[in-house]
Amino acid sequence: MGKPLVAVFSGAGMSTDSGIPDYRGPQGLWRREPDAEKLVTYEYYMGDPEIRRRSWRMRAEIGALGARPNAAHLAVAELERSGVPVRVLTQNVDGLHQLAGMPERKVFELHGSARAVVCTACSARSGMDEALARLTAGDPDPACRACGGILKPATVMFGQRLDPEVLARAVAVAKGCQVFLAVGSTLQVQPAASLAGMAAEAGARLIIVNAEETPYDPLAEEIIREPIGTAVPKLLSRIAEGG
Ligand code: ZN
């Protein structure tokens, strides 16, 4: 028998140990700045240069954190290297799974990536580093070098659709996996969150690692409330050993 396909679904909680703030959490930016949600809402971003400038400043702030993969990211990549088939479905845009060593093609970023920047006019992609360097150099709202169009992070903002191709591939993983491990997500943002339900319905073992309750807890074979940084490495070494 082949090794079971393990789907790791990660949310904001996966990256809090890396110093990436959970913008929806109690201490999050959304609470600090009442209209902060506008910074990541497509309509406001496109329509208001001041929102764009604030949005870029927020990106620069996050970039300056220099977040590194934590023990949980490293454990996921380690499991993959050990020969267990692993796919990562993530709500995070920080790229820390790949930085930890997960191959790019095995990571499905449902909410896009903050490591890249895309032109809203000509779709040209470039690196976030380059955009932030232009910011530092004094351009508070850098425009596309190719066409002058509005640049935005390659993240899925509120008011934007998820990439249908990424979503379709994530659904296929959820339906085809034997273990679905949901880490650090309240499993409340749709349609991404319903992947847990799809996996359970298709017969996968659903394991949830999250501090708070989730709507999918009743379907879970195992619920772990322990901190992610210790729980995930322990759990994954058990899975690697076939447990
Ligand atoms: Zn362009």
Side-chain angles (χ1 to χ4, degrees):
M1 213 179 95
K3 295 193 170 171
L5 175 63
V6 177
V8 176
F9 178 89
S10 62
M14 183 91 182
S15 293
T16 42
D17 277 356
S18 292
I20 303 261
D22 178 355
Y23 287 98
R24 286 189 179 76
Q27 309 303 324
L29 182 67
W30 301 148
R31 318 284 157 127
R32 225 168 66 205
E33 289 188 68
D35 68 341
E37 202 153 317
K38 286 185 181 173
L39 305 188
V40 287
T41 299
Y42 190 73
E43 191 193 340
Y44 291 109
Y45 186 88
M46 294 302 289
D48 185 344
E50 178 53 25
I51 291 290
R52 282 203 295 283
R53 287 192 283 269
R54 285 176 58 198
S55 185
W56 285 117
R57 280 204 299 273
M58 178 185 75
R59 285 291 150 209
E61 238 180 80
I62 297 172
L65 297 173
R68 302 291 309 161
N70 62 51
H73 294 108
L74 294 169
V76 172
E78 176 64 30
L79 182 68
E80 194 272 336
R81 267 196 304 273
S82 78
V84 173
V86 177
R87 299 291 182 275
V88 170
L89 317 176
T90 187
Q91 293 176 298
N92 300 335
V93 297
D94 53 40
L96 292 179
H97 283 290
Q98 297 93 315
L99 213 52
M102 272 302 290
E104 201 73 52
R105 67 180 192 285
K106 297 184 179 178
V107 179
F108 302 98
E109 297 175 302
L110 294 156
H111 295 171
S113 171
R115 293 175 302 154
V117 162
V118 66
C119 174
T120 56
C122 75
S123 302
R125 273 174 90 92
S126 48
M128 175 60 78
D129 288 351
E130 188 200 322
L132 293 184
R134 291 171 67 188
L135 209 70
T136 309
D139 185 349
D141 179 18
C144 175
R145 286 197 196 276
C147 78
I150 294 175
L151 287 185
K152 70 175 276 297
T155 55
V156 179
M157 289 189 166
F158 293 119
Q160 284 192 293
R161 267 180 0 129
L162 301 195
D163 181 333
E165 200 177 306
V166 174
L167 185 60
R169 298 184 70 183
V171 166
V173 169
K175 289 183 172 169
C177 68
Q178 280 74 50
V179 178
F180 188 97
L181 173 61
V183 183
S185 171
T186 54
L187 299 176
Q188 282 172 4
V189 178
Q190 294 299 351
S194 59
L195 293 166
M198 286 178 202
E201 205 169 300
R205 295 166 56 194
L206 176 61
I207 304 173
I208 295 175
V209 185
N210 198 53
E212 300 134 45
E213 283 181 26
T214 85
Y216 292 95
D217 285 2
L219 294 179
E221 181 187 282
E222 194 174 346
I223 299 166
I224 302 170
R225 301 278 183 230
E226 228 183 291
I228 287 164
T230 51
V232 170
K234 237 192 292 180
L235 180 65
L236 292 186
S237 63
R238 203 177 81 204
I239 288 174
E241 285 156 18

